[in-house]
Amino acid sequence: MSTLELRGLAARYGKKPVLHGLDVSVAEGEFFVLLGPSGAGKTTTLKCVAGLVDRTEGAVVIGGRDMAGVEPYERNVAMAFESYALYPQKTVADNLASPLRSGRLGTWTEAERAARIDAVTTTLGIDHLRERLPKELSNGQRQRTALGRVLVRPADVYLLDEPLSHLDAKLRATMRAELRRLGEFSRTTTVYVTHDYQEALALGDRIGVLRGGRLVQVGTPAELWDAPHDTFVARSLGQPEMNLLPARADGGVAITGGGLAVGVDTDVSGPVELGVRPRDLTVTAGQTHPGGFRIRGRVELAERLGRSVELSVRTEGVGPGDTLIAVTDDPDVREGTSVTLSTEHTRVHVFAGGGRAPGPEGDGRAGHAHRVGNARPRTDSEGEQR
């Protein structure tokens, strides 16, 4: 196994900068996921590691060795591309054998090659497909074959570029579970690229979020979920996206346009945003007593998603477009229903200027809300929120 380090890595295509000073270290045997939208620089990062794209600044270091001037075939990395890149005229077995016949990985006897291919086809469940051509395979079988061609060769680093993107949702979930179980990936340093936050959370020991060629945040799945560095990371994880409520903070209290007062662990004074994930909102039918973090509104749209129901709730002056998204398991909440949305204060994130709001000096709770007094929305004599 080897470590992988990117030190101030920058790259450009022509005059267009693509990567801007990436700094990250991937430990031996770590499964590291790069998450980001199309055009964020994920594939370019992998190609720089593999030596397929020249860096303009910085360094790629594998196993303590700077890869400057090292040819791709000398780097001992194995890469699976987004396209399957299988030889159409070769059988599955011959496609798997091709890296072992190149001569650049040393000399392998026929018996050694056969043993290696047997192990990989058994691991991936494609042993019965060995004599088929790629055109005779389903997308899932082609994907397994492409992964097998990566796994068949010993490597210091595996690079996987959106390997499941062409599969349907059910097969993608199945392959995701199988990937996590594969011992090869737990024993070899792996960098996995995806735009799917579920894949990132399920597979990654750590995740690096890319935006516009810059690493926005690096951390464990729990760290990114519980303490996103900014609103971009917050909304990159989770579907539906996190609700963001504009508010104004002063003296440790943030007040929304609808009059909801929330205690915040920050010294920031001025505009802030309160972030609440739709699945963290508890939906209660009717007008309940307005204590703590409670917002009232009316359901405009209810979309059933299996056991869950996704609700678009029209409120007054508390969120973008005055509509918040909530998810409930209550099948009786229907369009036109008056509801109260509530949540624990610890599940409310606080952002200022797009980034996570800094806390009071020495306070580790930065970026979260807390209970404050009898915080509640202002009401009129009939109990309706203003």
Side-chain angles (χ1 to χ4, degrees):
M1 290 191 295
S2 293
T3 58
L4 169 65
E5 295 179 74
L6 306 182
R7 301 175 181 172
L9 180 66
R12 65 176 65 238
Y13 290 132
K15 294 183 178 181
K16 180 183 178 182
V18 180
L19 300 179
H20 305 270
L22 304 189
D23 286 294
V24 68
S25 295
V26 183
E28 290 185 354
E30 183 177 15
F31 200 106
F32 185 84
V33 176
L34 278 176
L35 173 68
S38 297
K42 306 184 299 296
T43 297
T44 301
T45 302
L46 292 193
K47 289 182 176 180
C48 284
V49 174
L52 304 178
V53 169
D54 292 331
R55 60 180 176 78
T56 54
E57 293 180 22
V60 173
V61 181
I62 299 176
R65 180 188 178 191
D66 191 331
M67 293 291 108
V70 179
E71 294 294 332
Y73 63 86
E74 296 177 322
R75 297 190 179 201
N76 200 25
V77 301
M79 183 169 177
F81 296 89
E82 183 177 358
S83 59
Y84 304 129
L86 300 175
Y87 294 110
Q89 76 279 16
K90 293 178 181 281
T91 64
V92 167
D94 285 337
N95 266 285
L96 295 181
S98 58
L100 305 180
R101 289 175 173 155
S102 69
R104 291 172 176 168
L105 300 177
T107 302
W108 294 67
T109 66
E110 283 297 329
E112 290 172 333
R113 280 198 295 267
R116 188 74 180 173
I117 292 169
D118 286 345
V120 170
T121 55
T122 300
T123 297
L124 294 175
I126 55 174
D127 193 62
H128 62 296
L129 305 174
R130 294 163 59 105
E131 300 308 315
R132 294 190 189 181
L133 296 172
K135 67 181 181 181
E136 300 172 308
L137 305 177
S138 68
N139 281 342
Q141 292 166 342
R142 290 174 189 166
Q143 187 62 74
R144 291 168 193 259
T145 304
L147 284 173
R149 198 167 60 180
V150 172
L151 296 176
V152 77
R153 55 159 297 182
D156 292 328
V157 180
Y158 289 143
L159 306 174
L160 308 181
D161 185 9
E162 304 222 36
L164 309 183
S165 61
H166 296 298
L167 307 183
D168 61 56
K170 182 178 179 180
L171 185 54
R172 192 160 60 242
T174 301
M175 285 296 297
R176 190 165 65 222
E178 292 181 1
L179 280 176
R180 202 66 185 98
R181 288 196 298 266
L182 285 180
E184 285 79 357
F185 290 130
S186 64
R187 293 190 292 266
T188 305
T189 305
T190 302
V191 182
Y192 184 101
V193 155
T194 183
H195 64 275
D196 186 331
Y197 81 92
Q198 290 181 319
E199 281 184 15
L201 293 175
L203 293 172
D205 295 319
R206 286 189 305 149
I207 301 169
V209 181
L210 269 176
R211 181 186 189 186
R214 292 180 171 84
L215 273 172
V216 181
Q217 185 174 1
V218 176
T220 65
E223 288 169 345
L224 268 64
W225 185 268
D226 294 334
H229 178 73
D230 59 16
T231 55
F232 176 79
V233 176
R235 303 193 80 169
S236 295
L237 303 176
Q239 187 63 37
E241 293 181 350
M242 178 183 284
N243 294 296
L244 293 175
L245 291 67
R248 190 164 192 86
D250 186 23
V253 177
I255 306 216
T256 70
L260 177 70
V262 179
V264 290
D265 293 313
T266 178
D267 290 332
V268 170
S269 292
V272 295
E273 290 179 290
L274 307 179
V276 187
R277 297 192 186 280
R279 293 186 182 274
D280 286 339
L281 287 168
T282 298
V283 181
T284 307
Q287 304 289 349
T288 63
H289 184 273
F293 193 99
R294 298 178 186 274
I295 300 170
R296 287 178 283 183
R298 187 175 299 276
V299 177
E300 287 193 326
L301 181 64
E303 296 180 283
R304 181 170 292 280
L305 306 172
R307 290 187 176 181
S308 300
V309 182
E310 183 178 317
L311 307 175
S312 297
V313 180
R314 181 74 174 183
T315 64
E316 294 186 7
V318 296
D322 298 331
T323 299
L324 299 183
I325 305 300
V327 176
T328 180
D329 293 330
D330 184 353
D332 295 327
V333 179
R334 305 179 185 279
E335 294 171 7
T337 303
S338 293
V339 295
T340 297
L341 306 178
S342 61
T343 190
E344 295 293 329
H345 288 74
T346 54
R347 297 184 181 274
V348 180
H349 304 263
V350 185
F351 303 97
R356 195 168 190 83
E361 188 173 352
D363 190 336
R365 298 176 297 168
H368 279 291
H370 64 267
R371 192 174 300 280
V372 54
N374 294 317
R376 61 183 180 83
R378 295 190 299 269
T379 60
D380 58 23
S381 59
E382 297 178 355
E384 293 295 325
Q385 181 179 330
R386 291 188 217 172

